[in-house]
């Protein structure tokens, strides 16, 4: 599969939401149904429509994953559940590394596949928070690369 990285377009919104939802269902089984519904509404109504992303697309320009960044911080990285293991996340991280030599990211500690992915990509745990950014009891690992 050929993966290209491009900037997001307004027309990507429905697909980025689909990617986010499939990725979270596949990797965040620790979320309560109530928290999932709350986060889903925030992502759909506030975060995705307002943010710019790097899109990992296939040869037909279908988005397979996306990444949001603030300077050297990876704010979000999600890969469609059907595209996991195909190099989509790796392509996004490699793109981020081409932009910034030092990168940071936070990942839910209970998201074992996500934490393992970042560690395989050369990130090291440099800290931990007992709660997520909204104060929910989902610990975060703070990681750094470079």
């Amino acid at each position: 599969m050929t993966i290209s990285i491009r900037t997001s377009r307004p027309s990507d919104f429905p697909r980025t939401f689909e990617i986010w939802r499939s990725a979270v269902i596949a990797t965040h089984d620790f979320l309560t149904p109530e928290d999932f519904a709350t986060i889903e509404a925030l992502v759909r109504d506030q975060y995705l429509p307002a943010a710019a992303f790097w899109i990992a697309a296939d040869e037909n320009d279908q988005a397979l994953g996306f990444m949001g960044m603030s300077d050297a911080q990876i704010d979000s990285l999600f890969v469609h559940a059907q595209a996991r293991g195909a190099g989509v996340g790796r392509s996004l991280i490699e793109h981020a590394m081409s932009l910034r030599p030092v990168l940071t990211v936070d990942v839910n500690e209970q998201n074992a596949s996500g934490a393992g992915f970042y560690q395989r990509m050369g990130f090291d745990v440099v800290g931990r928070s007992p709660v997520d950014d909204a104060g929910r009891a989902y610990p975060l690992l703070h990681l750094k690369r470079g």
Side-chain angles (χ1 to χ4, degrees), residues 31-141:
L31 292 175
T32 67
E34 297 80 14
D35 284 341
F36 177 81
T38 299
I39 296 165
E40 181 180 39
L42 286 170
V43 167
R44 181 190 63 235
D45 300 338
Q46 294 179 24
Y47 181 64
L48 291 178
F53 299 105
W54 293 106
I55 300 289
D58 67 11
E59 54 276 353
N60 298 314
D61 199 38
Q62 179 174 5
L64 303 172
F66 68 91
M67 174 179 64
M69 292 180 69
S70 299
D71 296 318
Q73 171 75 23
I74 297 172
D75 299 317
S76 59
L77 193 156
F78 294 93
V79 174
H80 196 285
Q82 294 176 346
R84 290 179 69 204
V88 176
R90 174 176 293 278
S91 294
L92 288 164
I93 292 293
E94 288 172 352
H95 182 72
M97 292 181 329
S98 77
L99 300 172
R100 302 286 183 183
V102 176
L103 294 169
T104 58
V105 67
D106 293 340
V107 64
N108 290 104
E109 184 175 63
Q110 295 148 300
N111 178 357
S113 65
F117 165 74
Y118 287 115
Q119 290 174 342
R120 286 190 303 279
M121 293 300 300
F123 286 80
D124 296 311
V125 176
V126 295
R128 180 183 183 276
S129 297
V131 296
D132 69 9
D133 294 336
R136 292 179 289 256
Y138 301 117
L140 294 177
L141 296 176

